[in-house]
Amino acid sequence: MCVGSDNKGWGRASGLVVKALLLIGGAVLVKRFTKSTTRWDHARLVAQSLNGEKFSKDQASRDPDNFFNLRWLSCPAADMVDGSKVLYFEQAFWRTPNKPFRQRFVMVKPCPKEMKCDVELSTYAIRDAEEYKNFCDRPKDQRPQPEEVIGDIAEHLTTIHLKRCDRGKSCLYEGSTPPDGFPNSWNGAAYCTSELAVLKNNEIHSWDRGYDDDGNQVWGVKGGPYEFRPAPSSSFVGMFSPLNFNTQSMEKRIEGSFVLQE
């Protein structure tokens, strides 16, 4: 009798434990799947997507009359005290990667809470651009260090506000400068505009154009954005440890020419 009584008691206790574990596990799963994406999650995903070595080779092959095979290269350069990421960005023709024709700092952070956007991208000139050529190609101990980078951030050039793309679209984020753009004087321009889309697999589409005072386009492609796709086997794998996180899972949670002016 004593043995039988103990077994029943143990059975009831075991059942309660199992139920409790199921309830706890269910609560954890619900919390995990209902966890909202934070403002900083969006900024980290965009920064991760911008980084790396990408080329417009496929597009140049399809339409060589309008697009060049350009090399896009970006990597982390510094972190600001507010958490913003500063990236170094350069662009060059694929045959001469050591001679970039465009160099910028790009600051990535969440949009201000009062704005209807998710990520703010601001570009800045570099005080001594020559010192930063091929920054991402160099070993870390041969680059300007983060405190130097912050000190070398020069005048503000443009700002793009990105929003999450609507469900069903091929992009993750898309956005542009304001309609009236930002001041620009290259090749007779009075102002410039930029559009940018972040796609899955770290592909970037960018469209930059300059206009004169009469609204005539004076530089930039007319047919559409440049399409930059990651190099098949990039030498930058593992370089971006400050920004490492599960990009695929982030994309699932969010699912629903970046040639900035001269």
Side-chain angles (χ1 to χ4, degrees), residues 92-142:
F93 292 100
W94 75 277
R95 289 184 182 275
T96 54
N98 60 327
K99 298 179 180 180
F101 59 81
R102 182 168 288 108
Q103 297 172 261
R104 298 286 184 265
F105 286 133
V106 182
M107 192 175 298
V108 187
K109 62 183 179 180
C111 280
K113 290 182 178 179
E114 65 273 11
M115 294 187 66
K116 294 182 178 180
C117 58
D118 295 297
V119 181
E120 181 177 285
L121 294 182
S122 294
T123 62
Y124 295 84
I126 302 172
R127 293 193 191 282
D128 185 1
E130 188 68 26
E131 183 183 356
Y132 284 83
K133 279 188 176 180
N134 309 121
F135 176 92
C136 301
D137 289 316
R138 301 184 227 163
K140 289 186 178 181
D141 61 355
Q142 296 179 21

Side-chain angles (χ1 to χ4, degrees), residues 15 19 32 49 58 64 71 95 98 101 103 138 240 242:
K19 288 180 180 179
R32 178 174 297 178
S49 298
D58 293 344
R71 184 202 196 205
R95 289 184 182 275
N98 60 327
F101 59 81
Q103 297 172 261
R138 301 184 227 163
F240 313 114

Side-chain angles (χ1 to χ4, degrees), residues 19 39-40 43 74 100 115 117-118 123 134 137 144 153 157 162 173 216 231:
K19 288 180 180 179
R39 297 164 61 246
W40 285 103
S74 182
M115 294 187 66
C117 58
D118 295 297
T123 62
N134 309 121
D137 289 316
I153 296 174
L157 299 174
L162 299 175
Y173 296 89
N216 300 309

Side-chain angles (χ1 to χ4, degrees), residues 11-30:
R12 285 194 296 270
S14 299
L16 291 172
V17 170
V18 171
K19 288 180 180 179
L21 290 174
L22 287 173
L23 288 172
I24 293 170
V28 170
L29 287 174
V30 168

Side-chain angles (χ1 to χ4, degrees), residues 15-253:
L16 291 172
V17 170
V18 171
K19 288 180 180 179
L21 290 174
L22 287 173
L23 288 172
I24 293 170
V28 170
L29 287 174
V30 168
K31 183 177 181 180
R32 178 174 297 178
F33 286 112
T34 59
K35 181 182 178 182
S36 60
T37 305
T38 69
R39 297 164 61 246
W40 285 103
D41 285 337
H42 294 302
R44 282 193 294 269
L45 178 57
V46 169
Q48 174 75 16
S49 298
L50 296 178
N51 276 323
E53 185 182 37
K54 312 175 197 294
F55 293 91
S56 56
K57 176 182 177 181
D58 293 344
Q59 190 178 34
S61 297
R62 295 195 311 268
D63 189 0
D65 293 334
N66 293 299
F67 296 94
F68 297 104
N69 182 7
L70 301 179
R71 184 202 196 205
W72 164 306
L73 184 62
S74 182
C75 62
D79 290 339
M80 303 297 285
V81 292
D82 67 351
S84 302
K85 301 292 183 183
V86 179
L87 314 178
Y88 170 76
F89 164 78
E90 69 181 22
Q91 228 169 31
F93 292 100
W94 75 277
R95 289 184 182 275
T96 54
N98 60 327
K99 298 179 180 180
F101 59 81
R102 182 168 288 108
Q103 297 172 261
R104 298 286 184 265
F105 286 133
V106 182
M107 192 175 298
V108 187
K109 62 183 179 180
C111 280
K113 290 182 178 179
E114 65 273 11
M115 294 187 66
K116 294 182 178 180
C117 58
D118 295 297
V119 181
E120 181 177 285
L121 294 182
S122 294
T123 62
Y124 295 84
I126 302 172
R127 293 193 191 282
D128 185 1
E130 188 68 26
E131 183 183 356
Y132 284 83
K133 279 188 176 180
N134 309 121
F135 176 92
C136 301
D137 289 316
R138 301 184 227 163
K140 289 186 178 181
D141 61 355
Q142 296 179 21
R143 307 175 189 170
Q145 295 305 297
E147 58 274 14
E148 298 176 76
V149 169
I150 293 172
D152 286 334
I153 296 174
E155 68 270 22
H156 171 255
L157 299 174
T158 63
T159 293
I160 296 175
H161 293 109
L162 299 175
K163 295 181 180 179
R164 283 172 291 178
C165 294
D166 294 333
R167 185 180 296 276
K169 296 188 73 171
S170 61
C171 59
L172 294 175
Y173 296 89
E174 61 183 352
S176 65
T177 52
D180 54 353
F182 287 86
N184 180 275
S185 59
W186 189 72
N187 199 38
Y191 67 96
C192 69
T193 62
S194 294
E195 299 178 21
L196 185 139
V198 176
L199 283 68
K200 294 182 179 181
N201 301 319
N202 298 327
E203 183 174 342
I204 301 293
H205 290 185
S206 68
W207 196 3
D208 307 307
R209 289 164 286 179
Y211 298 89
D212 63 19
D213 287 321
D214 297 322
N216 300 309
Q217 185 175 342
V218 294
W219 61 260
V221 292
K222 295 184 177 181
Y226 261 91
E227 300 173 1
F228 291 97
R229 295 177 178 172
S233 56
S234 176
S235 59
F236 295 88
V237 174
M239 177 181 288
F240 313 114
S241 56
L243 296 173
N244 280 345
F245 60 97
N246 192 328
T247 304
Q248 275 195 332
S249 64
M250 180 71 74
E251 288 177 357
K252 291 178 181 177
R253 284 166 54 190

